[in-house]
Amino acid sequence: MASTVFSPFTLRGMTVKNRIVMSPMLMYRGQDDGMLNEYVYAHYAARALGGAGMIGTEVLAVEPRGRISAKDLGIWSDEQAAGLRRLTDFAHDCDARIFAQLAHAGRKSHLTGTAIAPSAIAYDETLGAPAEATIEDIEALIENYRAAAIRAVEAGFDAVEIHAANGYLLHEFLAPVSNTRTDDYGGSLENRMRLPLRVVEAVREAIPTGMPLLYRIVASDFGTDGVTIDEASRLSKEIRDRGVDLIDVQTGNILPGYEGPVYPGYQAPYGTRIKAETGLAIGATGSIASLDLAEFLLASGQADLVMMGRALLRDPFWPIRAAKEAGVEVDFPIPTYARATGPFERGF
Ligand SMILES: Cc1cc2nc3c(=O)[nH]c(=O)nc-3n(C[C@H](O)[C@H](O)[C@H](O)COP(=O)(O)O)c2cc1C
């Protein structure tokens, strides 16, 4: 029987060679000026060589105060975007697609004294209270997302993802526990969704019609006065209507700790519901590390792509190994890898 994991998938004008996506993972190994360096380049290049269909970058900060750490990559300048071109070119040479994850850490920024958030409520004692974002901050932020999206296109990315989960800025706006504003950006769900939706509109306008837009959503905060699945479902429909193509489903982390259960594929059920309600493509994320589970999620129609984090951190060549396990012949980015035969054949 054919493997779904190793079948291609098309979103708008982009086709990926297989369904294995490297989930965004911050390496804390860039430079203080937000530029790509050899370490980060080699890290992603290894995953492109290893056969992933698509690579998600780690958080790319849309403005300097949106960094989690001083070692985050940025996309707030043209110079940073030009530096990323090397990475997109290499991914393409390996027949991998690559998306830029546009991000803002909000109150979870570890930089001292610059964090903004919907309200001046600290994430924890260590990070301290952020400044409440003014209306000017909000307007500037939307323009920074727009400019970052334009730079991502110029840098050669195949798609863009808006990071709106994991307790970072856009998630903070959506969750009542971190958003106690009384203006148009707080209170009702409609108001709490306003900034995320304006960001979606700005980014969609900035990128070509044929380019897919991904959205990393939070599907539930497990009753911590955060986001509920019903709210996530409503938001999903709103972003679909504004041109989002795929929802990458996350849960929790609006407060320190994680309240939900963790098991192989633990976030997939939320994606299944959102897929049924919106008809959107879904990226399943969370403890997916086996070919069997990936095949099950894809072939049963619960997800369209599997977004793998730690499995690809442990082993950049996981996709090539999985292809062998599935009995599928894949093209190696370096064809000589095909000569990595077993111990009962002579290597030469
Ligand atoms: C070291 C590390 C860094 C991460 N950094 C990011 C990030 O930059 N952006 C993001 O959206 N998620 C980030 N995540 C979350 C992963 O993308 C992924 O959702 C999570 O690890 C669950 O998938 P897994 O069980 O396959 O690892 C990070 C995870 C790890 C382990």
Side-chain angles (χ1 to χ4, degrees), residues 118-199:
S119 303
I121 304 170
Y123 172 71
D124 66 17
E125 282 175 18
T126 325
L127 295 180
E132 179 176 309
T134 63
I135 293 298
E136 291 72 37
D137 288 328
I138 290 175
E139 294 299 330
L141 190 73
I142 294 163
E143 290 316 307
N144 287 337
Y145 270 98
R146 186 195 307 277
I150 292 169
R151 285 190 200 100
V153 175
E154 283 166 1
F157 285 99
D158 302 286
V160 167
E161 177 170 88
I162 297 170
H163 189 5
N166 301 354
Y168 297 115
L169 189 74
L170 297 180
H171 183 179
E172 291 161 19
F173 267 86
L174 192 62
V177 71
S178 47
N179 182 352
T180 57
R181 299 176 76 96
T182 53
D183 63 5
D184 287 351
Y185 292 91
S188 64
L189 175 62
E190 198 179 21
N191 282 355
R192 286 181 280 120
M193 288 192 303
R194 194 177 306 279
L195 178 60
L197 294 182
R198 288 194 62 196
V199 167

Side-chain angles (χ1 to χ4, degrees), residues 22-38:
M22 179 179 177
S23 196
M25 284 180 288
L26 173 58
M27 290 296 106
Y28 303 93
R29 202 62 175 90
Q31 296 182 178
D32 287 354
D33 59 5
M35 294 288 291
L36 183 79
N37 59 20
E38 294 301 298

Side-chain angles (χ1 to χ4, degrees), residues 20-27 43-44 47 52 54 56 216 248 250 266-267 284-290 306-319:
I20 303 166
V21 180
M22 179 179 177
S23 196
M25 284 180 288
L26 173 58
M27 290 296 106
H43 164 71
Y44 288 106
R47 275 72 195 175
M54 181 155 68
R216 181 158 263 207
D248 163 10
Q250 299 282 303
Y266 61 95
Q267 290 171 142
T285 312
S287 294
I288 302 169
S290 73
V306 285
M307 322 264 301
M308 298 174 55
R310 290 162 299 162
L312 281 169
L313 202 55
R314 284 192 285 274
D315 178 6
F317 291 89
W318 191 94

